Amino acid sequence: IPAILTPLKGKPYFRFGEPHPYLLETFTEMKDEHGVYLDLLYGVTAWNLIFQHWQAAKYDNSYDSPIKGRQIMYVHSGGLEGVSSQLVRYKHKGLIEPDQVQN
């Protein structure tokens, strides 16, 4: 049975399409450390939640994570064509430098 992940207590709930530093951090980590290029609307939000639950289970033995002991399958469904326009929104928010956005 699949588990539906929700943000952990004290962690932000992201408004759809709103640039957020945590999402940018997840985007950068997945791209630079794992070689996976995610879209900034759905993919990054999903992986941010997965990381929240994974790290909580790793560092808190009393936390009963819905992903503990389970295999995770993530289906990358595209959406990469919108990354450049979303990065412009991150630039306007001051979260990335102008030279990080392709024109």
Side-chain angles (χ1 to χ4, degrees), residues 43-76:
V44 169
T45 305
W47 276 101
N48 185 276
L49 283 172
I50 292 168
F51 283 153
Q52 284 181 33
H53 287 272
W54 178 61
Q55 290 172 344
K58 183 177 178 181
Y59 297 112
D60 182 359
N61 291 332
S62 66
Y63 174 62
D64 187 24
S65 173
I67 64 173
K68 187 176 184 177
R70 298 178 81 173
Q71 293 182 341
I72 297 172
M73 180 178 75
Y74 177 78
V75 177
H76 194 306

Side-chain angles (χ1 to χ4, degrees), residues 19-21 24-25 27-28 40 83-102:
H20 195 283
L24 185 60
E25 182 180 305
F27 173 78
T28 303
L40 283 156
V83 170
S84 60
S85 64
Q86 192 67 8
L87 285 174
V88 170
R89 297 182 75 207
Y90 278 78
K91 179 183 84 169
H92 290 304
K93 283 276 205 171
L95 298 173
I96 60 172
E97 297 298 320
D99 63 346
Q100 292 179 278
V101 179
Q102 295 180 8

